[in-house]
Amino acid sequence: MNSVKLGDIDVSYRRAGSGPAVVLLHGLAEDHASWNPVLGHLGNFTVFAVDLRGHGATTAGVGRGTLEQLGEDLVAFLRDVSGPARVVGYSLGGTIALEAATRPDAAVEGVIAVATSSVVGRGAADFFAGRISQIVSGDWAVFADGLRADTAGQVVTDVDVDAITAARLVAVGTGAGYVNAARAMIGVRSAPLNARLDRIAVPVDVIGADRDAFCPRRAADILLEALPDARYHEISGAGHLVSVDQPASYGRLLARLLEGSPP
């Protein structure tokens, strides 16, 4: 693992492979290790798997609870560490990648947004608010039970939900990063990213999963309707945690898209 000071945070990241730069951004309650199941397919690239603000080993700094701040973190990483790169973002990470790509000064060369939403409904906002309340009140047992239930609902194959949940709790750490990111996503309800997506001047590939109940096909359709240059790809037999349910199919698709080959 590597670490670099960027603004008010120390960013932890794993660098692997060689070739064109690709930055990987994980989802909420995850860290760089969530990309391990697909890294074997990305050996033709210099991959930077980043721990987001307050997740994994990256410090939380002074979180503003905004998507804009998380986008600034990515822009700083591209500027000072990876250089211009394509960005693969999963769930929360995809929303961050899209936000950064709306900025004309960002060194985002392309985006692959996986299981990603650009707008948050009332139900999701209430969900995030509930999880924030549990962490802020120190009710870790209830939060852990809830995270396990979330995890179970995000997979459709026979996997070890307890082991996955345990790894996610480690990634959550003190909870500061989870709270900050959840607040940022709540903010997307009142200020959807949709209105800014037409500013994105780079190609975007949108990946969905056919059994994703947390980010269904409608979320991808909203992105496709708003983005100037976008294509849709779907992974079969997967829920929201695509890298858990179908790591091989997911990894192969990412490699083909990054290599510029038809899926």
Side-chain angles (χ1 to χ4, degrees):
M1 293 296 293
N2 303 276
S3 181
V4 61
K5 180 77 171 178
L6 296 176
D8 67 322
I9 57 176
D10 295 314
V11 177
S12 180
Y13 64 97
R14 176 184 176 187
R15 176 174 177 164
S18 60
V22 176
V23 175
L24 306 178
L25 302 181
H26 59 76
L28 187 66
E30 294 185 329
D31 60 16
H32 73 281
S34 64
W35 293 103
N36 287 349
V38 302
L39 285 183
H41 296 275
L42 305 180
N44 291 331
F45 306 92
T46 301
V47 173
F48 300 85
V50 182
D51 284 351
L52 296 175
R53 176 181 289 261
H55 288 72
T58 293
T59 57
V62 182
R64 301 198 301 264
T66 67
L67 182 61
E68 288 73 19
Q69 183 186 41
L70 296 173
E72 290 166 7
D73 292 343
L74 172 56
V75 171
F77 189 87
L78 292 164
R79 182 188 64 234
D80 296 346
V81 183
S82 67
R86 283 171 288 182
V87 182
V88 182
Y90 163 75
S91 196
L92 166 67
T95 308
I96 295 170
L98 291 171
E99 197 285 333
T102 67
R103 303 166 184 244
D105 59 340
V108 177
E109 296 186 324
V111 173
I112 300 178
V114 186
T116 295
S117 177
S118 57
V119 62
V120 171
R122 177 180 299 175
D126 290 345
F127 165 83
F128 289 131
R131 291 287 183 263
I132 290 170
S133 177
Q134 291 163 4
I135 292 176
V136 171
S137 67
D139 201 345
W140 282 102
V142 173
F143 176 80
D145 287 345
L147 186 60
R148 189 194 186 284
D150 300 342
T151 302
Q154 292 172 351
V155 294
V156 297
T157 57
D158 185 15
V159 297
D160 190 339
V161 172
D162 289 328
I164 298 167
T165 304
R168 300 184 82 185
L169 286 169
V170 170
V172 168
T174 67
Y178 186 105
V179 169
N180 185 65
R183 286 176 174 158
M185 292 307 294
I186 290 174
V188 177
R189 172 165 169 72
S190 58
L193 189 55
N194 300 337
R196 289 184 281 152
L197 292 179
D198 62 355
R199 302 178 191 175
I200 297 178
V202 298
V204 178
D205 287 286
V206 178
I207 297 178
D210 64 342
R211 297 175 65 183
D212 187 348
F214 282 66
C215 194
R217 175 61 194 264
R218 179 55 186 153
D221 287 340
I222 291 171
L223 289 174
L224 295 169
E225 290 164 5
L227 288 163
D229 181 7
R231 292 144 300 281
Y232 179 73
H233 318 273
E234 189 167 272
I235 296 176
S236 299
H240 191 62
L241 286 173
V242 184
S243 64
V244 173
D245 278 331
Q246 298 296 337
S249 296
Y250 183 28
R252 288 194 296 267
L253 176 58
L254 289 179
R256 288 198 296 268
L257 294 177
L258 291 167
E259 290 164 0
S261 302

